[in-house]
Amino acid sequence: MDSIVVTGGSELRGEIPIAGAKNACLTLMPATILSDEPLTLTNAPRLSDIKTMTQLLESLGAEAASMQDGQVLTMSSHNLDNHVADYDIVRKMRASNLVLGPMLARLGHAVVSLPGGCAIGARPMDLHIHGLEKLGAEIELKDGYLHAKAPRGLKGAEIELAFASVGATENILMASTLAKGTTVIRNAAREPEIVDLADCLRKMGAQIEGDGTSEIVIQGVDRLHGATHPVVTDRIELGTYMLAPAIAGGEVECLGGKISLVESFCEKLDAAGIHVEETERGLKVARRNGRVSAVDVTTEPFPGFPTDLQAQMMAMLCTAEGTSTLHETIFENRFMHAPELMRMGANIEVHGGTATVHGVEKLKGAPVMATDLRASVSLILAGLAAEGETVVSRVYHLDRGYEKVVRKLSSIGAKVERVKE
Ligand code: UD1
């Protein structure tokens, strides 16, 4: 297993290109199931999660090809000949459950393994199931698999989500594009990845309005056709690299970034004393004077502060002047990075869903362990300004969500290397 060794203390300067969004790509790829014509995605990120989704689609009979070093993906679901999404693939990645809605809509039946628990919380699928049942699906849980069928086809319905779940909104949205009649999704998730999915589905011939708001209205059509679609910029990768100069000092331009993708996050950076400017090429971030100030953060569905940036934000707040509180409202067990940051000298108390971070002047490098995707990158960020060497082990989590992280950080002057253990 590889580790990443970070030697802290260098100011960061330069530019970092931000990739296409992992979470958008993971929902755009299953959309290919809805049509028998090819779907081409450009600006795809090169990540192990994307390979896992490719494997899953191939296991269902889809064909996939990648070009331009993986940045262009073409998938065709002309010959879907398997309707079982196997546990061996699904357990690797929760987003595998996004094949359920499209398979039901296109084939009329699907058997999809439940993804199981995950390090950051239970993550059930009740909202996905409720929505698809409203569309006329019959779903049963047997031997760890969801057995879903729609013997009379899917029919438009009014669906109110008890929580604005991203995955449930995506599954229901995809399924309803081919349902008979009108579907209304109330309390829908408003994330940019949902808007990107709706944009792509519209290119494929779907009739969708209201994406980006809490009410999405879909008029079902008989069939969808092929399309080419560029994946939206990864707002979580963007926020992560914006924190690098905020933590280590210096000035970095994140190419492709836009304030609209990270507005609530930028408000917190501003309150902490970080300068963010939108340029023609992206977002320029600078920390000019002294320590950052403490801020309070509550994670919320979009447009609120993203849970996927909470760990990285905590890394910055460890050395802020004053005491910050972080309330995690989306996942119940998402502070596993806190004890690791404490190994580096951070002063953090965790009580349930709230972490209180008393800022210290400096962190000290230490051996630490990555526990999940966003936690691993938060430890690297913390290491950028720590005294001495931080060795982050179990970095395979990183490959799921950050492409070329060592190269990108080195290019702005960070001392980072990947070593074999
Ligand atoms: C997506 C993102 C993930 C991000 C999360 C929240 C992808 C591939 N992943 O995950 O990176 O952290 O949004 O922004 O896009 N829930 C239920 N029942 C359900 C579905 C969800 O109780 O049927 C709960 C979950 O347990 C969790 C919360 O709702 O506590 C948020 O989940 P959801 O918005 O569905 O996140 P994902 O789509 O899994």
Side-chain angles (χ1 to χ4, degrees):
M1 259 188 282
D2 294 1
S3 300
I4 287 186
V5 180
V6 188
T7 309
S10 314
E11 265 205 358
L12 307 178
R13 290 201 183 274
E15 51 189 48
I16 291 189
I18 305 300
K22 167 181 87 80
N23 286 349
C25 202
L26 288 175
T27 185
L28 291 164
M29 293 173 76
T32 188
I33 295 173
L34 293 164
S35 169
D36 60 3
E37 293 180 19
L39 174 66
T40 296
L41 299 175
T42 60
N43 196 36
R46 282 128 331 151
L47 302 168
S48 65
D49 270 8
I50 302 301
K51 289 197 180 124
T52 305
M53 184 57 87
T54 305
Q55 275 172 13
L56 176 60
L57 293 173
E58 284 175 341
S59 78
L60 302 173
E63 286 161 30
S66 77
M67 284 158 286
Q68 291 182 26
D69 189 26
Q71 278 182 301
V72 176
L73 300 175
T74 296
M75 293 144 293
S76 163
S77 296
H78 184 62
N79 288 318
L80 288 184
D81 55 8
N82 174 23
H83 64 282
V84 183
D86 199 76
Y87 177 64
D88 272 346
I89 302 182
V90 175
R91 71 184 165 81
K92 289 188 196 160
M93 183 180 72
R94 176 170 164 90
S96 307
N97 63 22
L98 294 170
V99 299
L100 178 61
M103 277 165 80
L104 254 178
R106 169 94 184 277
L107 304 172
H109 55 272
V111 176
V112 177
S113 168
L114 268 187
C118 128
I120 60 174
R123 307 180 89 176
M125 278 191 69
D126 52 327
L127 303 169
H128 301 237
I129 295 169
H130 165 76
L132 295 171
E133 282 178 343
K134 281 271 190 172
L135 293 176
E138 294 167 12
I139 305 181
E140 236 190 316
L141 176 65
K142 268 194 284 185
D143 308 323
Y145 281 78
L146 292 173
H147 292 249
K149 57 183 183 204
R152 288 170 294 282
L154 296 177
K155 247 181 96 188
E158 304 217 344
I159 298 163
E160 169 112 27
L161 293 176
F163 173 82
S165 153
V166 176
T169 303
E170 292 167 343
N171 244 331
I172 299 165
L173 172 60
M174 287 191 276
S176 60
T177 57
L178 292 178
K180 279 210 161 40
T182 309
T183 299
V184 182
I185 311 176
R186 300 215 166 86
N187 196 26
R190 291 180 277 168
E191 271 66 3
E193 293 75 26
I194 306 267
V195 175
D196 201 36
L197 172 63
D199 278 342
C200 176
L201 292 168
R202 274 188 288 265
K203 286 181 196 157
M204 295 169 73
Q207 291 189 15
I208 303 167
E209 281 174 20
D211 45 295
T213 75
S214 308
E215 187 169 298
I216 307 180
V217 181
I218 305 110
Q219 302 288 345
V221 295
D222 287 340
R223 66 182 294 273
L224 295 182
H225 50 75
T228 297
H229 179 78
V231 179
V232 66
T233 300
D234 195 320
R235 65 197 166 95
I236 306 301
E237 192 197 26
L238 170 64
T240 301
Y241 287 123
M242 287 171 75
L243 282 168
I247 290 175
E251 182 172 292
V252 172
E253 189 166 14
C254 295
L255 305 180
K258 288 197 184 86
I259 297 268
S260 58
L261 291 171
V262 280
E263 205 156 350
S264 57
F265 170 72
C266 287
E267 281 164 18
K268 295 295 174 188
L269 286 189
D270 184 52
I274 303 300
H275 181 77
V276 180
E277 183 191 330
E278 193 163 83
T279 66
E280 272 177 17
R281 307 167 71 212
L283 293 182
K284 206 180 256 184
V285 185
R287 196 187 96 206
R288 298 214 170 92
N289 306 315
R291 283 169 74 182
V292 300
S293 309
V295 288
D296 295 335
V297 172
T298 300
T299 62
E300 283 168 346
F302 192 86
F305 191 99
T307 174
D308 286 350
L309 284 173
Q310 178 259 107
Q312 302 89 312
M313 191 71 176
M314 186 189 279
M316 181 184 86
L317 295 176
C318 287
T319 51
E321 192 132 25
T323 296
S324 310
T325 47
L326 293 146
H327 298 285
E328 173 57 59
T329 70
I330 311 291
F331 293 109
E332 70 266 34
N333 187 22
R334 207 172 197 183
F335 285 132
M336 283 171 304
H337 41 283
E340 300 300 314
L341 290 167
M342 285 158 78
R343 292 174 54 73
M344 299 174 70
N347 182 352
I348 306 169
E349 295 160 55
V350 175
H351 296 288
T354 303
T356 308
V357 184
H358 306 283
V360 296
E361 205 147 310
K362 230 177 179 10
L363 296 183
K364 289 205 166 68
V368 287
M369 198 184 283
T371 47
D372 68 55
L373 169 57
R374 307 304 172 187
S376 23
V377 85
S378 76
L379 299 171
I380 294 176
L381 288 176
L384 292 174
E387 238 168 62
E389 221 175 66
T390 300
V391 182
V392 186
S393 57
R394 296 214 182 166
V395 292
Y396 56 86
H397 294 289
L398 262 190
D399 302 329
R400 293 188 40 215
Y402 290 93
E403 62 168 47
K404 305 188 192 315
V405 63
V406 168
R407 198 188 298 174
K408 286 188 182 183
L409 284 173
S410 304
S411 76
I412 53 170
K415 294 204 175 77
V416 186
E417 58 176 333
R418 188 163 176 143
V419 295
K420 296 237 175 285
E421 265 171 25

